[in-house]
Amino acid sequence: AMKIKRILNPVAQENTYILENESASLVIDPGSNTSSILAKLEAIAKPVAAILMTHTHYDHIMSVEAVRQAYNHPPVYVAEAEKDWLMNPVHNLSGLPRHDDMEDVIVNPADYYFDFIKDYNIGNFQFKVVPTPGHSIGGVSFIFEKEETVFSGDALFKEAVGRWDLPTGNHDQLLSSIQDQLFTLPNHYRVFPGHGWDTTIGHEKIFNPHFS
């Protein structure tokens, strides 16, 4: 059975998820708390099969290089629409004047771009990737059908949605993404977002104020 561990990162209260199965681990959105992320991976003591990014805002990518270096360069996956953001601090927002107190975040290019048609099987983790733009143009969600679980990035939160006022954000697109790609999933599916606590699809259909 797949285990899910959540690491709360101090920068922007971003959630990193480490998934573990019999043979490997998978890292989703490695954020600012590098030492905690590496310690958790060390405790799991299995190879990292891949690093997956729901999108490339700085708070979701700050430990990509640390995990790459510590785990023999596992493949990094990202949406093609944001491929250049990893290397561009203005695009990943770390280089904006309001983040002058922070070093620019620069990450080496990804190894693969997501294919929205493919059934992924990486290190025996089986999942699909669906486009959920609206918070940012390359936002995606990961659907693990066997585990009845979805990782929604900054699209859908518990009783909230991602902000749409950043570059390439779009309110209507965000709500359509959630309705078309996530609310079509069974109600009991668990949702693990990029910020805040987990929820379920059914709970959000009823209690999310953006959908009424």
Side-chain angles (χ1 to χ4, degrees):
M2 184 176 90
K3 291 184 196 151
I4 301 171
K5 302 204 162 55
R6 167 181 174 267
I7 291 163
L8 179 59
N9 297 283
V11 171
Q13 299 292 293
E14 186 265 339
N15 291 324
T16 294
Y17 296 102
I18 298 177
L19 315 187
E20 178 191 356
N21 64 18
E22 298 72 39
S23 55
S25 60
L26 206 55
V27 181
I28 298 177
D29 291 352
S32 63
N33 198 345
T34 306
S35 56
S36 284
I37 293 168
L38 292 179
K40 193 79 81 182
L41 287 170
E42 205 169 308
I44 291 170
K46 290 171 185 171
V48 174
I51 301 169
L52 310 180
M53 253 90 81
T54 61
H55 66 301
T56 57
H57 285 151
Y58 70 92
D59 50 320
H60 295 256
I61 63 172
M62 292 175 83
S63 293
V64 169
E65 291 305 327
V67 176
R68 265 178 159 160
Q69 281 156 24
Y71 284 87
N72 197 21
H73 290 267
V76 169
Y77 289 77
V78 73
E80 189 169 8
E82 293 182 12
K83 66 182 195 294
D84 301 328
W85 296 21
L86 294 167
M87 296 140 268
N88 185 320
V90 171
H91 281 150
N92 68 41
L93 307 181
S94 64
L96 297 185
R98 68 168 181 266
H99 297 305
D100 275 350
D101 54 333
M102 193 174 71
E103 273 185 56
D104 284 359
V105 176
I106 297 173
V107 172
N108 288 313
D111 303 283
Y112 297 103
Y113 306 138
F114 289 121
D115 178 341
F116 298 130
I117 297 159
K118 189 172 169 167
D119 287 316
Y120 280 94
N121 185 336
I122 302 176
N124 254 355
F125 293 98
Q126 289 164 350
F127 59 96
K128 285 187 166 71
V129 184
V130 295
T132 47
H135 170 69
S136 66
I137 195 67
V140 303
S141 298
F142 308 123
I143 299 171
F144 288 74
E145 284 177 354
K146 205 169 62 186
E147 287 80 19
E148 305 180 325
T149 295
V150 55
F151 296 88
S152 60
D154 286 4
L156 179 63
F157 301 135
K158 182 167 188 175
E159 297 176 20
V161 298
R163 52 190 292 193
W164 54 84
D165 61 333
L166 298 165
T168 77
N170 180 307
H171 178 254
D172 293 344
Q173 187 181 44
L174 181 62
L175 298 191
S176 301
S177 293
I178 294 167
Q179 271 175 315
D180 299 346
Q181 303 290 358
L182 303 182
F183 282 1
T184 47
L185 296 169
N187 284 336
H188 65 274
Y189 269 45
R190 293 187 302 162
V191 179
F192 290 90
H195 302 268
W197 294 103
D198 54 295
T199 181
T200 64
I201 293 293
H203 182 92
E204 293 315 305
K205 283 187 190 169
I206 296 168
F207 294 108
N208 194 304
H210 295 269
F211 302 92
S212 49

